[in-house]
Amino acid sequence: MTTSDEEMVNVTESVVNVTDSVVRFANLNVLTTEILNDSDDDELERLAGMRSRRTLNSKSRDSLSYFFDESIHPTQIMASTGRGGTSRMFARGKDLNDELSSVGNFFQRGSTLWKATAFTKTAVASDRNSPAGTSRGGVSCELGSEDHPVQEMEFFNIGGAKVYFYYGLDVIRAPEHVMNAGPHVRDTAVGVLMLDQYKIHERPGDPSNPLTFWPYQAFFVIPQGITFQKCKDVGSCGSNALRDYPLETSAICQALLALAEVASKHGYKRLMIVGDCGYYGLAAEAFARNLSCWGDQSWVPHPDSAFASFRSPRFRSPHLDLDIILCLGTTQLIASPEPEKNLSTQLGANTSVVYLTADACGFYSGDAQTTVSEEYAPFMDRPWNSNEWHFNLNGEVSMFDLVARVNSSILNAVGIKSDDGALEDIFESLLEISTGSTSYLVGLFLGDTASQMREYGETSIERAWIGCSHLTELIQGMAQNDDGKPHPKDVIIEKVAPVFEYIESILLRIDNVYLGSLPRHKVWHPDGTVNLTEESEFRMLALLLGNPGLNGNPPPPTYKEFKLDVALRIQDTFLSLLEVRKHADNITGLPIGVSYVEFLASFLANLNRNVLSTVEASHGIDGKTFPLFDCRYVPGFGFAVANSLTVWTRMSNYHWMSAILLRFSEIMQEKGWMGAAAYHMECTELFSFTPFFHEMGIPVVDGVNGVLIASRLTDAPMRFVNFKQKNNEPQTPSALVADVSEDPSSYYRDNSMPLRTPTLDSEVYEQGMYKVKRTLMIADKKRWSMIKLAQPLYEDFKLLYGFKSYDQSRFRPGDSIYPASSALDIGKYVDDDDDDDDDDVANPSEILEHFVQYAQIKDEKELDSNFHSFFGGDKYRDRCENAHRVTVKES
C-alpha cells in the first residue's frame, strides 16, 4: 500500500469515527418508523436496547477501507472470500500470509514434529531431538510474552495422531464453576475424537469447542487421514470396520490411545471420550475390540462394570492407571441392527427414538445408499442442464441446496431491515462462501417483498413466513417467458432488475455501516437519491459473493461480466424453486417459508415409511422404532455443515429446526408411523440445539449429555456449567481456525476471533428477530406440547431435562441431562407467559408406559451378547474377573 493510500485509510477511519454515532442514530429513527405500525412500545424499547449493545469492529472498517483501495482489483477481493472462517478473519484485518506456520507444519501428514506450542501471534514446533526450553511447554520463555496466558495451546504427535488442548483455559476456571460441576473436576477430563481437515469456528455445544465441557479440561485428537468421508466409510461398516477399513480403524484406535496417554501424563485419572462426528459411534464395537490388542497399551474391561451406560463400554488402562469410558455418541446405541444389541430392548411400549442427522445418505453404503439417494434425485439435478444452456451446471450446488439457501434468509430479511448488527452478521457469514451466496441474497429479496404483503399476517415476520410461497407469478416473470421457456442470456439482467435494486440498497447500508458516508463511494442525484458508484458496487459484491464465475471459470475482470454471472445465478435459483415445486405435490405454492416446512417434513416422513423401513442397514435405523430425521436441507444448518462453514446462532435457524422437526413428528404420530418419542442428536453440530429443545419440553440426548448419563455409574457424576462473560471478561483464547481451501491447510489465530462463547453467541441470537420469538416460536412450543413424548430413565431414576432441572440447590450432578454448557447466555430461548411451565418433567400419564432406559441391561444373556460385541468371546462375568486380576497385578 502506498503512503497516500495509508493516509486515505487514516482519513477514512477519522470520518467513520465522527459519523458512526450519526449513522446509528439515523438507523434507530428508521427502525422506529418502519416497524411502529406492528410493534408495541415495549418491543421498540427492547430492540433499541439490544441494538445499542452491538459495536462495530474497527478492524472490519480498516480492512474494508483496504479493499476499497483502487490498487486492489475486485478479482483480488474475490480470492479472499470462500475460505470459511478464515475469510472473516482476513476481513477483520488479518494478513493472509500471517499464518502459524509451525502449527501447519505440525499438522501435515507424515510430520515428524513431536510437539508444538502456540499463542495468538507466535508458535514453535520441535522434534524429539530439539533441546528443551525453559517454559512449561518446553519452549523459550519469550514465546507468547505479549499474549495473555489464556492464549496458550499445546500440541503432541503420538504415533501420527495429533493431540492438542487449550492449556491456557486453566487460568480462568472460576472456583464456583469447579464447585458446581462436581467433586472431581481436577481428576476427570473429556477427550474428543476429531476429524482430519475439518477445523471451523464452532459454537459451544459442539465437542470441538472446549467450553462445551466447561469447567472440565478437554483434550482433542485428530486421527491421521480420517477425513469426514473416511469417517463415514468406517462408520457405515459398523462392527466390521476393522475388516473392511483396517488402516483407518487402526489410525482411529491409535488416536484413542494417544488421548489416554496425554490425559494420564497431565494427571487425570478418568477420561470420558466423545466423538466430533456421529459416524464414529457406529463403529464403536470395532474400536473396543481392537483396543484390547495393543500389548502393554491395551485397555481391558473395567473390573467394577464393563459398561457405564447402555452400550457405553468402560475400560481400565493398567499401563496408565486410567479409567476410560467410550461414549462416542448416540449412534453407539443403535450401531447393530440386531434388537438384542441395540436400544430397542430398552424402550417402553410403542416408543420411538428419532435420530437427527446432517446426512441421511451417509448412514448407508452400497445398494442401500443408492436406494436412499434416488429419493432425493428429483430435487437435485436441473432438467435445463444441457449443452444448449448458458453455462455448464455440472458440479454446481444442487437445486435442493439452492431452495434451502433461499429459505434460510427470508426471515433475516426482516431482521436486517432495522438492525445494523444483524446486517453485520449476515455480511460476515457471506464472506465465508462463494457458491450459494447469490441464492441467499435472493431469499432476502423475497422475504423483504413478502413482508410488505399485509394480507398474509399482522407482523412483517408472519407475512414473510407465509407470503413468500405466494410469489410464484413474480418469480416466473423474472425467470421465464410466457411460454415457460427460460429468458435468454441477453435480457436476463433486465428481467431480474428488481433483485439488483434490492441488493444495491443492502450494499448502500453496508457501506454506511462500515465505511461511513465517503463521497468517493457514492453518487448523489438531484432528486435526493443516493447510490454507490459502479466501481464501489463491484467491490462490495465481490466481497459478498466471491467469484460467481460459472463452472469454475476465472473471476470476471469487469463489472459487466460479473453482473451477468450473478444474474444467471439468480435465474438459476428462480428456476430451481419452480422445478422443486413441481415435485412437491403436498403444497400449493412455492416451497418457501411455511410451505417449505410442510414439503420437507412430509418428504422425510415418507422417506422413513417407504424406504428406510425396507433397506438393508448395518445399524438400527428402521423408519419406525428409530426414524431418521435428515437435517441436510434444514435452512440455516445443512448447507453450512456440508460445506464446513460456520453454523450461526441466529434465532431464525433455531426456528427452522424446530418447525420442521415438529411438523415431521406430527405427521409420523398422526399416521401411526412412530410411537411416543424421544430425540437423539447424531451430528455434533446439532448439539447446540439441545438446550433449546429442552426448553420446548422435548427430551433430547446428544453426545454431550450422553457423557453426563455415563458418569452416573462412577463415583463422580458430572455437571457442565454455562460459561458466562461480562464486558468480555473473563478473556477467552483466540480460536484456532484452518483454511482448508488448499492443501496443505493453513492455521490462523487472531484476537478478533476468540472462541465462541455462550455470551458472544447470545448477541447474535436475538438481533432483529424479536418477532420470531414473540410469534412463530411461541406457537411452535404450544404445538410441541401435543406431541406424545417418552421419559428418559437411568435404572429407576427419571432423568430430568430442561433448565429448571439444572437448579443446583435441588438436584445432584448426574440427575439432570440438561447440558448447560451448550446453552446460550440468555434468559429464555422462547418468550412464554406461563410462569408455571414445567419444562423438565414428561407428562406423568405417559411416564410408565413410554420410556427410554439408558442404564445397561441386567439380563445376563443380553449382557453377554453386548459384552461379546465390544470385548470379544469371553462371558461378561469371567472377563471382568480376569480384568480385575490384571489390574491388581499391575498395581
Side-chain angles (χ1 to χ4, degrees), residues 169-188:
L169 280 175
D170 197 54
V171 304
I172 60 170
R173 280 188 177 84
E176 59 269 23
H177 287 174
V178 175
M179 292 175 62
N180 291 337
H184 290 274
V185 172
R186 290 300 181 182
D187 63 15
T188 299

Side-chain angles (χ1 to χ4, degrees), residues 320 394 400 635 675 709 883 888:
L320 298 174
N394 295 328
F400 216 153
I709 293 173
V888 171

Side-chain angles (χ1 to χ4, degrees), residues 399-682:
M399 291 193 301
F400 216 153
D401 264 325
L402 289 181
V403 172
R405 287 288 287 167
V406 167
N407 277 280
S408 66
S409 61
I410 60 168
L411 296 179
N412 296 326
V414 180
I416 66 173
K417 198 169 187 177
S418 53
D419 192 315
D420 287 340
L423 180 63
E424 183 183 2
D425 289 326
I426 297 297
F427 173 72
E428 288 206 3
S429 66
L430 288 176
L431 294 177
E432 292 196 7
I433 61 176
S434 52
T435 302
S437 294
T438 304
S439 54
Y440 189 93
L441 293 179
V442 168
L444 291 177
F445 164 74
L446 296 176
D448 181 75
T449 302
S451 70
Q452 302 172 49
M453 302 165 64
R454 295 189 173 271
E455 64 270 29
Y456 294 114
E458 296 182 1
T459 67
S460 52
I461 281 289
E462 290 174 298
R463 295 193 287 267
W465 184 242
I466 299 170
C468 276
S469 64
H470 298 275
L471 296 175
T472 306
E473 186 175 339
L474 173 68
I475 288 177
Q476 285 176 330
M478 285 192 281
Q480 302 173 337
N481 294 322
D482 293 339
D483 60 3
K485 294 181 179 180
H487 290 308
K489 186 175 182 178
D490 57 351
V491 300
I492 193 58
I493 291 179
E494 176 188 349
K495 294 298 181 180
V496 299
V499 183
F500 278 113
E501 291 172 7
Y502 173 78
I503 291 175
E504 184 176 357
S505 70
I506 296 295
L507 299 181
L508 191 60
R509 284 188 56 209
I510 292 174
D511 183 88
N512 283 334
V513 167
Y514 282 92
L515 299 170
S517 301
L518 295 183
R520 69 189 180 106
H521 293 165
K522 301 180 180 68
V523 177
W524 278 263
H525 300 284
D527 61 359
T529 59
V530 181
N531 61 276
L532 294 173
T533 64
E534 182 175 291
E535 178 68 16
S536 296
E537 193 169 306
F538 188 10
R539 293 176 181 278
M540 195 71 76
L541 272 176
L543 271 172
L544 278 177
L545 302 180
N547 175 17
L550 305 168
N551 201 39
N553 288 330
T558 67
Y559 186 50
K560 181 179 179 180
E561 295 170 276
F562 182 95
K563 192 169 186 178
L564 177 60
D565 285 350
V566 174
L568 291 172
R569 287 197 179 276
I570 293 172
Q571 182 186 36
D572 184 51
T573 301
F574 285 151
L575 292 173
S576 296
L577 286 165
L578 296 171
E579 182 65 23
V580 170
R581 176 200 176 197
K582 295 178 184 177
H583 300 280
D585 53 12
N586 61 317
I587 60 174
T588 55
L590 292 168
I592 314 178
V594 67
S595 292
Y596 185 77
V597 170
E598 187 65 29
F599 153 65
L600 185 56
S602 297
F603 170 77
L604 295 176
N606 284 291
L607 179 73
N608 278 274
R609 175 66 173 176
N610 302 325
V611 180
L612 303 188
S613 62
T614 62
V615 296
E616 183 178 351
S618 61
H619 45 71
I621 295 296
D622 61 1
K624 181 175 175 62
T625 303
F626 300 113
L628 194 61
F629 180 80
D630 189 3
C631 302
R632 175 62 182 82
Y633 299 101
V634 171
F637 179 80
F639 181 85
V641 174
N643 291 278
S644 303
L645 305 172
T646 302
V647 181
W648 296 88
T649 53
R650 300 187 188 101
M651 189 186 301
S652 56
N653 294 348
Y654 286 81
H655 170 64
W656 275 112
M657 188 66 68
S658 174
I660 299 173
L661 181 61
L662 168 61
R663 185 62 191 133
F664 170 83
S665 301
E666 288 174 339
I667 294 171
M668 293 289 284
Q669 290 191 346
E670 287 167 3
K671 294 181 178 293
W673 294 352
M674 78 174 188
Y679 297 81
H680 282 182
M681 303 297 197
E682 173 271 320

Side-chain angles (χ1 to χ4, degrees), residues 62 85 248 257 321 386 471 799 811 823 846:
D62 291 345
E248 290 82 357
L257 293 169
D321 188 25
S386 65
L471 296 175
L799 293 171
F811 304 110
E846 307 286 351

